[in-house]
Amino acid sequence: MKIAWYILLASMSVLTILFFFDIKFMVAGLNIIAWDILAGGIWIFIKLCRWAGRENTGKRTLAVIALMLVGLFAGAIMFMGLCIYGGISCYVEQTEPQTHRTFVAEYAHNLMGRGSVKLYERFGPLLLACDVDEYVGEFSLERPEDRQLYISEDGKCIVVAYFFLVPTFVIPLE
């Protein structure tokens, strides 16, 4: 059982390092950083419960409850700050019907409608960055019916337009 934990930790470490080289690992709509935070929170919760259970005194149990409440409060404050600032990445995904290539737009925007959008191509759970510039500026998610992914009329590129008006990405078909 311990070997399985070591393999899990090693694979998460490798995937976290790849995250910073623009190779993202995404499962169930969460990238590897969110999975790292989730695993760390579960690990801390288990360690605190074991520590409180060793000598089942009321003081240890109260300390664990207080630590968990402070942690939840701090996490909620950080989450609200990230939502306001625009630091939380969200993903929009769609598959082009003729080539069956799946493109994922990773976007982060603040409450003022400004943010950044980077385009990736999906290969299983991995997202590899496309060779297009990252868009930084204003964009809108208000009309999801305007999302388009199609091959251009000349047949030389794929056009990706997930947002209202801008940004629009053009990827060579090769």
Side-chain angles (χ1 to χ4, degrees):
M1 185 70 174
K2 231 176 188 178
I3 292 175
W5 283 112
Y6 289 138
I7 291 171
L8 176 68
L9 287 175
S11 63
M12 287 182 78
S13 299
V14 168
L15 291 171
T16 303
I17 291 169
L18 288 176
F19 177 85
F20 296 105
F21 290 107
D22 258 352
I23 299 173
K24 312 254 174 142
F25 176 79
M26 192 174 85
V27 173
L30 298 173
N31 62 24
I32 189 65
I33 300 299
W35 286 109
D36 287 342
I37 292 169
L38 185 64
I42 292 170
W43 182 79
I44 288 171
F45 178 74
I46 290 171
K47 288 293 184 180
L48 282 173
C49 289
R50 283 186 182 169
W51 175 75
R54 256 189 266 144
E55 296 176 21
N56 196 2
T57 62
K59 290 180 183 179
R60 283 190 179 201
T61 304
L62 286 176
V64 168
I65 291 171
L67 282 172
M68 283 192 280
L69 289 176
V70 167
L72 287 173
F73 180 71
I77 295 295
M78 285 186 348
F79 181 74
M80 286 179 8
L82 285 172
C83 285
I84 292 169
Y85 176 69
I88 297 177
S89 296
C90 302
Y91 299 92
V92 177
E93 177 177 337
Q94 197 170 2
T95 302
E96 201 284 315
Q98 293 177 353
T99 61
H100 301 291
R101 292 170 66 181
T102 301
F103 293 96
V104 178
E106 176 187 50
Y107 66 93
H109 69 289
N110 59 18
L111 295 176
M112 303 302 271
R114 292 191 53 80
S116 63
V117 180
K118 185 150 178 88
L119 190 67
Y120 293 89
E121 187 170 358
R122 178 184 279 283
F123 295 99
L126 294 178
L127 303 179
L128 301 177
C130 291
D131 194 21
V132 293
D133 293 334
E134 179 177 0
Y135 174 81
V136 177
E138 295 183 10
F139 60 91
S140 175
L141 298 164
E142 293 177 5
R143 296 174 47 176
E145 65 272 6
D146 288 338
R147 293 184 182 157
Q148 299 177 10
L149 179 62
Y150 59 91
I151 295 179
S152 65
E153 291 177 9
D154 61 1
K156 294 185 178 180
C157 57
I158 296 175
V159 178
V160 180
Y162 289 148
F163 305 96
F164 181 62
L165 297 179
V166 290
T168 300
F169 298 102
V170 178
I171 300 104
L173 200 57
E174 293 91 40

